[in-house]
Amino acid sequence: MSEIPSPLLSVRDLSVSLALRRGTAIPVLDGVSFDVAQGEVVGIVGESGCGKSLTALSVMRLLPRAAVVTGGSILFRGQDLLRRSESEMRAIRGNDIAMIFQEPMTSLNPVLTAGEQIIEPIIYHERTTRAAARKRAIEVLDVVGIPSPQRRIDDYPHQMSGGMLQRVMIAMALATKPKLLIADEPTTALDVTVQAQILELLRKLQVDTGMSVIIITHDLGVIADFAKQVIVMYAGRIVEESDTNGLFERPLHPYTEGLMRSIPHIDEDVKRLHTIEGLVPLPGDWPAGCRFHPRCPRAIAACKEAIPKFAEHSPNHRAACIRCEVERVELADGEVMK
């Protein structure tokens, strides 16, 4: 029997807290665990404030100064990134692991040309000449669809449109041929047509290079179109994980169901979009028990007290929901699911 290959990235029980000036700490990530296989596309979805970007920044070891990892491990190719020195992480960032940050208009340096910002990591990681790095930068700008890359390489960010800036960000990330690409809201603030072009570009590049991708978004439409595995986060925890088809065919967690119902369907006469009542609780104000229960239409008394176990309900489909567990027991006993 052949051995199952180890995942490229394995995050286990990752917990992060935010240190406050008065000496207290507020947890912002709580026991986050997931794997990313070689060549796999994993989507992380949830509302703003659920911990998606913080998870990505933890992998990159780029957390804000006040944020502290309080537990867990982040294994990349078998090495725990949390135990690497800063010099070792600089060799990994932008080389083995690259990230496309949110809002390219503010992520790019406005006083440096697009070319300078692509050339710099190539020279740093590959110890090549400036002429060779510039040639590679032009090639990668061409790959991501920048017209006339020989000319646009010397343009400043303010001379480019939002779509072109996003392509420059992708070019920066791909210039050193990373094993893992983290794309944090790569289509935010772009119009629908440009969004489709960017997603198609990322899909093609992923297939051509065989790299693994983590795509972070609040848009389930993006997930359905690109990811093969989906992680749903809420209030610092993972509440559901499944392959994409399984998630869309039968979402288990009420939060996932709410996100699904919020998507308008072209064949429905929708007069008012469905919304999930309430807001994501702030760190430090997380309720006891299931953190979604104050907003959950299916909550039962136990949801307010017990922390739901992250259990497998079908092959490759897990959820942290007490109600799901109750319904599964009822079905096993031959009762009709309520």
Side-chain angles (χ1 to χ4, degrees), residues 45 187 195 199 203 215 217-227 244 248 259-260 263-264:
V45 68
T187 59
Q195 283 187 26
L199 288 175
R203 184 187 298 106
I215 184 165
T217 181
H218 61 275
D219 189 340
L220 278 169
V222 171
I223 294 294
D225 195 40
F226 190 26
T244 305
F248 279 83
L259 293 176
M260 296 282 192
I263 303 173

Side-chain angles (χ1 to χ4, degrees), residues 2-312:
S2 60
E3 294 184 3
I4 299 175
S6 300
L8 179 69
L9 178 73
S10 181
V11 178
R12 285 290 172 272
D13 297 318
L14 177 66
S15 296
V16 176
S17 292
L18 190 64
L20 302 180
R21 290 182 179 179
R22 57 179 180 269
T24 59
I26 296 177
V28 288
L29 286 183
D30 185 8
V32 173
S33 298
F34 64 93
D35 292 333
V36 181
Q38 179 66 51
E40 185 180 33
V41 179
V42 175
I44 302 179
V45 68
E47 295 169 280
S48 297
C50 287
K52 308 184 301 297
S53 296
L54 204 61
T55 300
L57 293 174
S58 298
V59 173
M60 296 292 290
R61 286 270 304 273
L62 290 174
L63 287 170
R65 185 173 298 179
V68 179
V69 175
T70 55
S73 62
I74 302 173
L75 300 180
F76 178 72
R77 304 175 78 179
Q79 297 185 22
D80 191 350
L81 298 183
L82 297 179
R83 298 181 180 273
R84 300 300 97 190
S85 66
E86 183 55 33
S87 62
E88 289 173 321
M89 281 305 302
R90 281 197 296 268
I92 293 171
R93 281 191 218 105
N95 189 26
D96 292 323
I97 307 176
M99 186 168 177
I100 302 171
F101 294 92
Q102 293 188 44
E103 300 291 348
M105 293 183 181
T106 56
S107 297
L108 292 171
N109 191 325
V111 301
L112 295 178
T113 65
E116 286 292 335
Q117 299 181 66
I118 300 172
I119 290 170
E120 182 181 2
I122 297 174
I123 293 176
Y124 179 83
H125 289 293
E126 300 189 4
R127 300 292 189 255
T128 188
T129 64
R130 184 173 185 81
R134 181 181 174 87
K135 181 180 179 182
R136 168 78 71 80
I138 292 173
E139 290 172 352
V140 75
L141 284 174
D142 185 49
V143 167
V144 300
I146 295 290
S148 306
Q150 297 88 346
R151 178 173 60 84
R152 300 312 294 262
I153 192 174
D154 295 317
D155 282 356
Y156 288 87
H158 72 271
Q159 295 175 293
M160 295 182 167
S161 66
M164 291 182 71
L165 291 175
Q166 193 63 280
R167 291 173 190 270
V168 170
M169 291 287 291
I170 296 172
M172 288 175 61
L174 297 178
T176 53
K177 303 177 181 178
K179 307 292 188 303
L180 172 65
L181 175 67
I182 302 175
D184 189 2
E185 300 280 6
T187 59
T188 297
L190 301 177
D191 63 56
V192 176
T193 302
V194 178
Q195 283 187 26
Q197 293 172 352
I198 294 298
L199 288 175
E200 182 59 34
L201 172 62
L202 286 174
R203 184 187 298 106
K204 181 179 184 302
L205 292 171
Q206 189 275 327
V207 171
D208 291 347
T209 63
M211 65 182 172
S212 301
V213 177
I214 297 175
I215 184 165
I216 297 170
T217 181
H218 61 275
D219 189 340
L220 278 169
V222 171
I223 294 294
D225 195 40
F226 190 26
K228 300 300 181 185
Q229 190 77 9
V230 188
I231 294 166
V232 182
M233 292 191 69
Y234 184 80
R237 286 179 180 160
I238 293 177
V239 296
E240 187 163 359
E241 181 179 8
S242 172
D243 62 272
T244 305
N245 290 335
L247 188 84
F248 279 83
E249 288 174 4
R250 185 172 177 261
L252 296 175
H253 199 282
Y255 178 60
T256 310
E257 293 177 349
L259 293 176
M260 296 282 192
R261 289 198 300 270
S262 299
I263 303 173
H265 295 276
I266 194 169
D267 57 346
E268 294 181 357
D269 183 16
V270 179
K271 295 182 179 179
R272 182 176 181 181
L273 292 176
H274 172 82
T275 59
I276 303 175
E277 297 295 329
L279 299 171
V280 178
L282 294 173
D285 291 329
W286 288 337
C290 174
R291 291 173 186 167
F292 185 62
H293 84 258
R295 306 174 68 191
C296 181
R298 297 170 57 197
I300 57 179
C303 300
K304 300 178 181 180
E305 301 174 1
I307 298 175
K309 295 180 180 179
F310 196 60
E312 188 170 59

